[in-house]
Amino acid sequence: MSSLSLIQIKGIGPVLAEKLREAGFTTVESVAVAPARLLADVLGISEEKAAKIAQAARELLGIKFVTAEEYYKERCKISYISTGCKALDEMLGGGIETGAITEFVGEFGTGKTQICHQLCVMVQLPPEKGGLSAGAVYIDTEGTFRPERIIQIARYRGLDTKQALQNIIYARAYNSDHQMLLVDELRKIIPEKNIKLVVIDNLVSHFRAEYPGREYLALRQQKLNKHVHQLLRLADIYDVAVVVTNQVVANPDVIFGNPLRPAGGNIVAHGCTYRIWLRRGQNNRRIARIFDSPKHPEVEVVFAITENGIEDV
């Protein structure tokens, strides 16, 4: 992130800058990528004026067309969080990427939550051990987070267990509105607490429960789309890794092949950068397959879930 101040944005004075900070817009980057309608609501101005302020922020940051070579150089600065499993890291090209959303999809018991717990520990390790010397945020929508599991994994990784727990900011989301509100609050928490990983386990469960049936499908997808774009902006502005888990739903029309598909439809499919399907194997093994990625080939790897966490077979 840049060291620019909000009042350096053309059209923003001390009063408007304070309104932005109170709403969680603490950086020029956060203003630059915010929708004009949202800025208008926060600042109490017209949408046209808000659009000009957002454009001024983009000009201040020098956001413009660049060559592919320049963009490649920027991408070389991206960080990765090791999963703690060499096979998974190799499949992902180095681990979980910052500035992107990585989605783990699968039936219950396939290891989604276990991977999330392990990543919350791995991000705390120094870079030479695959971490980013940073903290994590865990938004729990189904009551599956277990500090006891963090202690087991942290102890195995050589971390102080008490410190490992303190470096994870936890929140239970009780409905979809609460879930989205918690993500909004992260704009203040991330820079203050040196957060580099945001976990949402599970992304769509509240949306599915609150908007059942086809009559609510359009409303549910609109709201889910807004939430996914919240997360995309968060990943982009603060260069954090966003990891979400997702449920599967059965498609009764499928006769041949896998009848299961990820919940959330095209909204989640288009919003998530990398998508990994998890399934059970034999002898307590788990199989991970990348099925949607802008850069990875579609490959499978095998890993195990042990007392120590996620490990290679």
Side-chain angles (χ1 to χ4, degrees), residues 30-287:
S30 62
V31 176
V33 301
R37 183 182 298 177
L38 180 58
L39 288 177
D41 290 341
V42 169
L43 297 174
I45 59 178
S46 69
E47 198 168 320
E48 183 181 354
K49 288 183 178 179
K52 289 180 179 179
I53 287 173
Q55 179 59 25
R58 288 190 287 270
E59 290 174 358
L60 188 61
L61 293 169
I63 298 175
K64 58 185 189 311
F65 283 109
V66 296
T67 66
E69 182 184 21
E70 289 173 308
Y71 185 54
Y72 173 69
K73 288 178 180 177
E74 283 298 310
R75 281 195 56 79
C76 287
K77 300 175 185 177
I78 286 172
S79 304
Y80 293 89
I81 304 167
S82 171
T83 62
C85 171
K86 288 182 180 179
L88 279 174
D89 284 351
E90 288 175 5
M91 181 184 75
L92 293 166
I96 303 297
E97 188 178 297
T98 59
I101 300 178
T102 301
E103 175 195 15
F104 288 94
V105 182
E107 296 179 78
F108 64 91
T110 52
K112 302 185 298 295
T113 298
Q114 295 295 320
I115 290 173
C116 291
H117 279 69
Q118 177 134 324
L119 287 171
C120 286
V121 174
M122 296 301 298
V123 72
Q124 301 182 41
L125 295 174
E128 60 269 21
K129 292 186 178 181
L132 297 176
S133 299
V137 168
Y138 201 112
I139 297 177
D140 182 5
T141 69
E142 297 181 311
T144 52
F145 179 75
R146 292 294 179 270
E148 300 89 337
R149 189 65 172 132
I150 296 295
I151 290 171
Q152 285 181 314
I153 298 170
R155 185 178 291 125
Y156 175 71
R157 296 288 168 179
L159 291 174
D160 177 85
T161 55
K162 184 177 180 180
Q163 190 63 48
L165 291 174
Q166 290 177 347
N167 287 336
I168 301 170
I169 309 298
Y170 171 81
R172 176 73 189 273
Y174 291 100
N175 54 56
S176 61
D177 290 324
H178 187 209
Q179 185 172 326
M180 295 173 74
L181 180 64
L182 289 172
V183 172
D184 275 338
E185 291 177 2
L186 292 182
R187 292 197 295 259
K188 298 177 182 178
I189 295 173
I190 287 173
E192 289 177 2
K193 302 292 185 180
N194 185 29
I195 300 298
K196 278 294 179 181
L197 171 69
V198 174
V199 171
I200 300 186
D201 184 23
N202 179 285
L203 177 67
V204 301
S205 59
H206 284 317
F207 295 88
R208 291 183 66 198
E210 293 166 26
Y211 300 93
R214 288 191 174 275
E215 65 269 30
Y216 294 110
L217 181 60
L219 182 59
R220 183 188 77 185
Q221 292 304 88
Q222 287 171 9
K223 192 173 182 180
L224 186 56
N225 187 36
K226 182 180 179 181
H227 184 42
V228 170
H229 278 80
Q230 265 187 310
L231 297 172
L232 282 168
R233 285 195 295 271
L234 201 73
D236 193 37
I237 295 166
Y238 298 104
D239 190 34
V240 298
V242 175
V243 172
V244 302
T245 66
N246 196 1
Q247 303 166 336
V248 296
V249 294
N251 184 356
D253 296 332
V254 175
I255 300 174
F256 302 104
N258 187 1
L260 301 177
R261 55 185 173 82
N266 291 332
I267 295 298
V268 176
H270 290 307
C272 294
T273 321
Y274 306 110
R275 311 184 80 195
I276 296 101
W277 191 287
L278 303 176
R279 68 180 195 271
R280 296 188 192 191
Q282 295 181 335
N283 302 320
N284 202 33
R285 300 290 189 262
R286 302 293 189 275
I287 301 163

Side-chain angles (χ1 to χ4, degrees), residues 284-306:
N284 202 33
R285 300 290 189 262
R286 302 293 189 275
I287 301 163
R289 174 175 62 88
I290 286 189
F291 68 99
D292 189 11
S293 166
K295 71 173 185 177
H296 300 100
E298 191 169 310
V299 294
E300 286 189 351
V301 298
V302 180
F303 64 94
I305 299 174
T306 72

